[in-house]
Amino acid sequence: MKIIDILNQKEMSLSFEVFPAKKESGLESVHRATREIAMCRPSFMSVTYGAGGGTSRYTLEIAKDIKDAYDVPMLAHLTCVSSSRETVRERIKDMIDAGIENVMALRGDLTPELMGTDPAGWDYQHAIQLVRELKESGADFCIGAACYPEVHPDSSNQKEDIRFLKEKVDAGAEFLTTQMVFDNNLFYNFLYKLREAGVTVPVLPGIMPITNAKQVARAISLSGSFMPQRFRSLVDYFGQDPDAMKQAGIAYATDQIIDLYANGITNVHVYSMNKPDVAKAITENLSAILGKDFGR
Ligand code: FAD
């Protein structure tokens, strides 16, 4: 099923994200976690793609497993910046062969090796080129792309960031998912600016349930996302008690999701990070709101 058809339905959607194992030895535990998350019956699941393509095989393997065994629509991520054109074309062919219908087209982060070289020599500089490559493949992919309510770190200002985002959408991205946001007002302001700029596709806010204090520092350094004082107080108070922190982090994410739904944002994406207990708790918290039987 195409993700865009899910997003365009009137009903609320909730999707979960997983990431592949770095090594073959970790693959079984990732499969177990993704299967348990799939049993929450999310609207769809996404599988990330390791920077540099190191885990590419596993991304497809996981996506295919969930799609075939659990009938959950799958979104497979693909990055381009650290890959050759030949490799990217091979990955696209692998996706077609695996029956993948939905692809998240990403640039990928710039590795230290790339940073020291001239971008003119790279096969891909930006995600828009991957969007075009996917369109030109001839396959009828539904293509998603990333966006940044707090501005991508490489951008000099938000206007420029939104201008490039609109080009990416015009090239064929049918929906957008945001970098993690901890303050819904940042998302609402961003959405307003996108609509003003003529970006009309569905935009999914990315919600990251923080369940341990260590994750906070990592999430901020990776995303640069703003942590509201309300969230900081919660981490300060409960951060030393793992069970309490987990419960508080899930409650905070649930509260964000309910606020989004209540403000007419029907599609929400959760960075569930291979944690079935977190996905289950959030689904349970929202069971009446989503009108679904948990764990069907
Ligand atoms: P782009 O769209 O290329 O944008 C990157 C920067 O370049 C922005 O500042 C933009 O304004 C600018 N730009 C865009 N087009 C142009 C242009 N034509 N000329 C000049 N500047 C331009 N990383 C992974 O490795 N694997 C994943 O699975 C993964 N999944 C992600 C999912 C989501 C929802 C998000 C938000 C991020 C994800 N990332 C992932 C991280 C992502 O790869 C990085 O944030 C990366 O730095 C930017 O990717 P992008 O696709 O947004 O790039």
Side-chain angles (χ1 to χ4, degrees):
M1 185 170 191
K2 296 271 169 61
I3 303 293
I4 190 63
D5 294 331
I6 297 166
L7 303 180
N8 281 336
Q9 286 167 3
K10 284 209 174 69
E11 291 95 66
M12 288 173 263
S13 83
L14 185 71
S15 48
F16 290 126
E17 183 158 301
V18 295
F19 58 87
K22 284 207 170 75
K23 293 184 186 149
E24 187 132 17
S25 55
L27 196 56
E28 191 38 51
S29 81
V30 173
H31 270 299
R32 215 176 310 121
T34 52
R35 284 179 203 147
E36 283 183 44
I37 294 174
M39 284 164 70
C40 297
R41 308 300 304 158
S43 307
F44 70 88
M45 283 172 73
S46 63
V47 192
T48 65
Y49 189 85
T55 61
S56 61
R57 191 160 59 86
Y58 304 139
T59 298
L60 265 195
E61 199 178 307
I62 292 165
K64 201 168 155 19
D65 176 50
I66 300 300
K67 183 172 72 67
D68 295 348
Y70 294 89
D71 198 24
V72 171
M74 287 306 301
L75 171 64
H77 291 204
L78 181 63
T79 67
C80 59
V81 74
S82 49
S83 303
S84 67
R85 196 170 303 281
E86 196 189 359
T87 304
V88 166
R89 287 184 177 162
E90 266 172 35
R91 296 289 163 265
I92 294 174
K93 186 175 175 309
D94 292 343
M95 286 180 161
I96 296 170
D97 292 346
I100 299 295
E101 290 179 282
N102 306 291
V103 183
M104 187 76 174
L106 299 145
R107 183 191 74 176
D109 281 322
L110 302 179
T111 57
E113 300 83 69
L114 278 173
M115 298 278 239
T117 62
D118 180 3
W122 310 342
D123 280 354
Y124 301 90
Q125 287 87 22
H126 293 291
I128 188 171
Q129 293 161 289
L130 181 55
V131 173
R132 291 190 180 124
E133 191 84 52
L134 287 159
K135 294 296 276 182
E136 283 161 16
S137 71
D140 184 21
F141 287 123
C142 167
I143 303 170
C147 63
Y148 304 83
E150 297 173 67
V151 185
H152 188 277
D154 293 357
S155 289
S156 52
N157 60 69
Q158 191 170 46
K159 217 172 167 180
E160 180 191 273
D161 207 20
I162 292 179
R163 182 163 60 81
F164 287 128
L165 184 61
K166 179 157 185 340
E167 283 179 12
K168 195 159 64 172
V169 169
D170 291 344
E174 291 174 71
F175 67 93
L176 301 167
T177 305
T178 74
Q179 180 60 281
M180 59 188 86
V181 275
F182 297 98
D183 178 346
N184 288 355
N185 287 328
L186 292 169
F187 174 78
Y188 299 134
N189 290 340
F190 177 62
L191 188 62
Y192 178 79
K193 287 178 185 168
L194 290 192
R195 299 307 187 222
E196 256 199 330
V199 177
T200 57
V201 295
V203 184
L204 285 76
I207 302 300
M208 165 78 98
I210 298 280
T211 53
N212 66 67
K214 262 198 234 148
Q215 215 187 332
V216 178
R218 194 172 142 70
I220 298 180
S221 80
L222 277 178
S223 66
S225 301
F226 167 71
M227 293 270 171
Q229 186 53 46
R230 195 165 81 82
F231 188 78
R232 285 172 192 270
S233 307
L234 185 150
V235 177
D236 284 349
Y237 201 80
F238 298 115
Q240 300 311 312
D241 179 336
D243 290 340
M245 183 61 230
K246 187 168 159 186
Q247 194 166 45
I250 290 171
Y252 187 91
T254 304
D255 188 47
Q256 268 193 285
I257 298 169
I258 293 173
D259 177 72
L260 288 158
Y261 287 150
N263 280 284
I265 307 300
T266 46
N267 305 300
V268 178
H269 187 64
V270 177
Y271 292 111
S272 48
M273 311 293 287
N274 301 3
K275 292 181 185 154
D277 47 344
V278 172
K280 279 182 201 169
I282 290 180
T283 314
E284 259 170 351
N285 288 346
L286 298 169
S287 60
I289 289 170
L290 292 171
K292 278 185 183 176
D293 276 342
F294 170 72
R296 256 178 314 157

